[in-house]
Amino acid sequence: MSPTTSPTTSSAEDPIRVVLVDDQVLVRAGLRALVEAEPGMTVVGEAGDGDAAVEAVRRERPDVVLMDIRMPGTDGLAATQRISADPDLDAVHVVILTTFEEDSYVFEAIRGGAAGFLVKDTEPAELLRAVRTVHAGESLLSPGATRSLVAAYATHAKPSSLAPALDALTERERQVMQLVALGLTNTEIAERLFVSPTTTKTHVSRAMIKLGARDRAQLVVFAYETGLVTPGWQP
């Protein structure tokens, strides 16, 4: 990348910039081949551990990071938390790559700022779709299995300090937040509440701002942590 190029500015025509993080060289090579072959995407960096991942993200300011959770030294969870805590990296979306055996780490990863997660045996087309999804500002929390996972771990998480912040939400914002927590899209929420998708998007954005949520994924976690939604809850 040219020293004069600003990595934080992009247009609709710019490719989605991706950083790959995995301690296995062959895994990274496979991911690179997949991403580079997809029109509208490009790999701008790689890392084999969490420390190198944070350095690469700070250097390249990618749109999306595909982050392995289990790595020697600084793991993907710690790296995700560091990226999320850096205000200069607000536009970076982290997708955790994991296996079913590592589910216990996923909730903390999302709580720490990840936009969602994928299992490593995800179909290539699904992975590419996930990159586009998080780049568009959505989360990867729509599948029922993921919502169940978040709900299960949220019930055992340490108490949230966000509960009083719910008082700042309007009744409609609370309703929208509850439906986001169930994994509904803006269009589905709009249909449920008989409003426009644009109005729904506005309510979601305002709830995120009031609660300091980085993205929809964190909004889901906050909904469970504050008790606004409980496991098994239905509207």
Side-chain angles (χ1 to χ4, degrees), residues 25-102:
V25 176
L26 286 178
V27 172
R28 295 204 308 272
L31 290 172
R32 173 178 280 275
L34 179 65
V35 172
E36 292 283 7
E38 178 71 5
M41 293 186 191
T42 185
V43 175
V44 296
E46 294 184 18
D49 61 65
D51 289 331
V54 175
E55 291 177 8
V57 170
R58 286 175 175 163
R59 181 177 64 250
E60 301 295 344
R61 306 294 175 88
D63 299 303
V64 178
V65 181
L66 297 179
M67 178 84 72
D68 185 23
I69 241 183
R70 286 276 185 94
M71 293 179 291
T74 301
D75 62 15
L77 176 58
T80 297
Q81 292 170 334
R82 285 166 59 184
I83 291 169
S84 177
D86 190 333
D88 291 334
L89 304 177
D90 280 347
V92 178
H93 304 286
V94 178
V95 176
I96 295 294
L97 299 179
T98 184
T99 63
F100 288 116
E101 289 75 23
E102 295 167 347

Side-chain angles (χ1 to χ4, degrees), residues 3-207:
T4 60
T5 300
S6 173
T8 59
T9 59
S10 61
S11 69
E13 292 76 26
D14 291 334
I16 299 173
R17 306 171 75 257
V18 182
V19 163
L20 309 174
V21 184
D22 197 291
D23 62 318
Q24 297 184 41
V25 176
L26 286 178
V27 172
R28 295 204 308 272
L31 290 172
R32 173 178 280 275
L34 179 65
V35 172
E36 292 283 7
E38 178 71 5
M41 293 186 191
T42 185
V43 175
V44 296
E46 294 184 18
D49 61 65
D51 289 331
V54 175
E55 291 177 8
V57 170
R58 286 175 175 163
R59 181 177 64 250
E60 301 295 344
R61 306 294 175 88
D63 299 303
V64 178
V65 181
L66 297 179
M67 178 84 72
D68 185 23
I69 241 183
R70 286 276 185 94
M71 293 179 291
T74 301
D75 62 15
L77 176 58
T80 297
Q81 292 170 334
R82 285 166 59 184
I83 291 169
S84 177
D86 190 333
D88 291 334
L89 304 177
D90 280 347
V92 178
H93 304 286
V94 178
V95 176
I96 295 294
L97 299 179
T98 184
T99 63
F100 288 116
E101 289 75 23
E102 295 167 347
D103 278 353
S104 60
Y105 292 89
V106 173
F107 174 73
E108 286 301 326
I110 294 173
R111 196 169 189 263
F117 75 94
L118 293 171
V119 292
K120 285 191 172 181
D121 60 357
T122 295
E123 292 293 327
E126 183 62 28
L127 184 144
L128 295 172
R129 186 159 45 248
V131 171
R132 296 192 184 281
T133 296
V134 298
H135 179 248
E138 298 288 342
S139 69
L140 299 179
L141 296 179
S142 55
T146 305
R147 296 198 307 272
S148 298
L149 173 67
V150 173
Y153 281 97
T155 58
H156 300 294
K158 47 192 174 185
S160 173
S161 60
L162 287 169
L166 290 179
D167 293 337
L169 301 183
T170 65
E171 183 60 31
R172 180 64 88 186
E173 287 165 356
R174 285 172 175 252
Q175 286 180 307
V176 169
M177 185 172 169
Q178 287 174 320
L179 296 176
V180 167
L182 293 183
L184 273 65
T185 65
N186 285 348
T187 299
E188 291 169 336
I189 294 172
E191 293 174 350
R192 183 78 66 92
L193 299 179
F194 302 103
V195 297
S196 71
T198 300
T199 298
T200 299
K201 184 177 181 180
T202 298
H203 287 313
V204 171
S205 297
R206 287 176 177 169

